[in-house]
Amino acid sequence: MKFKITPIVGDASFRTYYRLALDKKSKIVVLANKEKYKNLLAYTAVNKFLRTNKILTPKLFLYDYHRGVIIIEDFGDLSFHKILKNKKNKFLIYKKLVDFLLRIQKIKPKAKIKNIKGGFYLIEKYSKKYLFKESNLFFDWYLPLFLSKKKALNIKSKSNKILSKLYNRLNFPNSCFVHRDYHAQNLMKKGNKIALIDSQDALIGNPAYDLVSLIDDVRIKTSTKLKNKIYSYYLQKAKRAYRKNSEKFLQDFNILSVQRSLKIIGIFSRLLIRDRKQRYLKLIPYTWKLLEERMNSEIFSELRKILNNNISKKIRKKIIKL
């Protein structure tokens, strides 16, 4: 029996990946010594739930939770991020990814899923607690890179009062399954099918969130025109309630886009400071651009003012280094 193990470039998590080639077939070995509950137990439970609802996710073959190891199905290396980068008519691809998202959003959210330890994994609701936990990454990790601790805390305190009012304005909370990282790099081409990976952070939340992840993807620069086309395509095929209340849905989209951009800038800063991972820093300037564009609405005037008064254009465009 011949086999070969090859390391695979990792992601922003604590997981490490290897491709195990065995008799011309391959599987993925995932190691997670940290955050095992999320990276192993939650990941396999959510994958199982999606597979039972006919959404293609990695099948689990073997696991050793104590040692932090799972062996899962290999979908290859062809992500839709790679496909989109080399495609002229990107809209045709995005239509397929929107259709796939709509299929996922039709699934009735299930709170409890049987996990690999014999118990149950609970898919929680996307409460304000989670929204703040994510947006606070911006204030806790990004601002201290160039502002004093005292000033960063002051900005955080003022901003969170504003963000609290914005989060209270969300119209469609906790109504569907939310992957939380539904972007092209986590969508794989498997033959003629689309497969979904990195599902461990899934929650029951707002339908606009995963649409934001797809349209305002910090890894792929797209025009405003294309973003609007993708958004319009989603809305015309989504639930009638979203079309009937299109202004409210758009408000949700913009609020969650702002929240997600704050979160991403914070995550990329944390990866630099805590984990010494620098490859994501080049994405911060474009994330700022997305944040600025979505804050054009009047409802963001207070937040926009605080950020403009404390974070210059020069800093926003700078690729930070330690």
Side-chain angles (χ1 to χ4, degrees):
M1 185 180 290
K2 292 182 179 181
F3 71 91
K4 182 181 179 182
I5 298 179
T6 311
I8 301 172
V9 176
D11 53 20
S13 72
F14 287 119
R15 298 182 296 270
T16 52
Y17 302 87
Y18 298 87
R19 177 165 280 116
L20 172 64
L22 186 66
D23 290 339
K24 297 182 180 180
K25 292 183 179 180
S26 65
K27 295 178 175 63
I28 299 295
V29 180
V30 184
L31 304 180
N33 292 317
K34 292 182 180 180
E35 297 184 356
K36 287 197 291 184
Y37 182 84
K38 180 177 86 167
N39 291 318
L40 301 179
L41 190 144
Y43 184 57
T44 52
V46 176
N47 280 347
K48 179 183 175 183
F49 167 67
L50 289 170
R51 286 182 73 88
T52 60
N53 284 280
K54 296 182 170 50
I55 300 298
L56 191 58
T57 59
K59 186 178 179 181
L60 177 67
F61 294 112
L62 292 167
Y63 64 90
D64 188 327
Y65 187 80
H66 178 71
R67 290 185 171 86
V69 182
I70 55 173
I71 298 178
I72 58 174
E73 188 175 359
D74 184 5
F75 289 145
D77 294 316
L78 188 55
S79 71
F80 277 89
H81 178 265
K82 288 182 181 178
I83 294 169
L84 284 163
K85 278 182 75 174
N86 299 314
K87 195 81 173 175
K88 286 186 178 179
N89 192 344
K90 290 180 171 56
F91 183 56
L92 292 176
I93 301 299
Y94 275 112
K95 284 170 71 175
K96 293 178 181 179
L97 301 184
V98 167
D99 289 340
F100 188 59
L101 174 60
L102 289 164
R103 274 182 58 204
I104 294 169
Q105 291 185 343
K106 284 179 181 176
I107 297 170
K108 188 176 180 180
K110 184 178 180 180
K112 288 184 178 180
I113 310 161
K114 195 166 184 181
N115 65 47
I116 55 176
K117 292 185 75 179
F120 287 92
Y121 174 72
L122 177 71
I123 300 183
E124 295 185 50
K125 290 184 178 180
Y126 216 141
S127 63
K128 275 181 75 175
K129 175 188 78 173
Y130 277 105
L131 292 169
F132 274 118
K133 184 180 178 182
E134 293 176 350
S135 53
N136 277 339
L137 294 169
F138 175 86
F139 306 104
D140 295 342
W141 292 93
Y142 178 72
L143 291 190
L145 285 169
F146 53 88
L147 294 177
S148 68
K149 186 177 179 180
K150 184 179 178 181
K151 190 167 185 181
L153 284 171
N154 182 255
I155 294 168
K156 178 182 178 181
S157 177
K158 290 178 179 177
S159 298
N160 275 347
K161 288 176 184 177
I162 298 164
L163 287 168
S164 182
K165 288 187 285 185
L166 288 169
Y167 297 158
N168 283 337
R169 295 180 72 151
L170 290 169
N171 298 285
F172 300 97
N174 307 330
S175 55
C176 70
F177 178 92
V178 177
H179 180 270
R180 274 175 91 197
D181 226 2
Y182 191 86
H183 57 75
Q185 205 160 305
N186 283 337
L187 293 155
M188 311 297 293
K189 193 172 190 305
K190 178 68 173 175
N192 294 321
K193 295 182 178 180
I194 300 172
L196 184 63
I197 61 173
D198 269 11
S199 305
Q200 67 280 344
D201 293 319
L203 291 170
I204 298 168
N206 194 302
Y209 192 91
D210 279 347
L211 185 64
V212 164
S213 304
L214 182 66
I215 293 175
D216 286 350
D217 185 348
V218 301
R219 294 163 180 81
I220 301 177
K221 292 183 180 180
T222 52
S223 66
T224 302
K225 183 180 178 182
L226 178 57
K227 291 180 194 297
N228 291 340
K229 280 180 74 175
I230 300 165
Y231 180 89
S232 296
Y233 178 76
Y234 171 89
L235 208 59
Q236 73 185 39
K237 296 199 73 177
K239 285 184 179 180
R240 184 173 174 269
Y242 307 158
R243 289 193 299 279
K244 190 178 177 181
N245 300 282
S246 58
E247 287 186 12
K248 290 181 178 180
F249 190 85
L250 180 60
Q251 181 176 273
D252 282 17
F253 181 92
N254 287 329
I255 291 171
L256 292 172
S257 181
V258 167
Q259 186 269 353
R260 182 171 167 80
S261 289
L262 290 172
K263 163 190 168 181
I264 288 171
I265 292 171
I267 287 174
F268 291 166
S269 303
R270 184 176 66 184
L271 285 168
L272 171 69
I273 298 165
R274 187 190 69 185
D275 307 327
R276 293 299 188 266
K277 293 181 180 180
Q278 298 191 35
R279 63 192 174 105
Y280 298 95
L281 297 176
K282 62 185 178 182
L283 301 174
I284 288 180
Y286 182 60
T287 311
W288 260 114
K289 185 171 182 281
L290 293 171
L291 179 57
E292 290 163 358
E293 287 175 355
R294 297 301 176 193
M295 284 197 301
N296 278 332
S297 170
E298 187 58 31
I299 64 169
F300 299 108
S301 59
E302 291 179 277
L303 182 63
R304 190 168 62 239
K305 185 178 179 182
I306 288 178
L307 296 182
N308 287 346
N309 287 344
N310 292 280
I311 308 159
S312 68
K313 296 285 184 182
K314 186 178 179 181
I315 288 174
R316 297 177 190 193
K317 292 177 181 177
K318 186 179 179 182
I319 297 178
I320 302 157
K321 293 181 181 178
L322 285 182

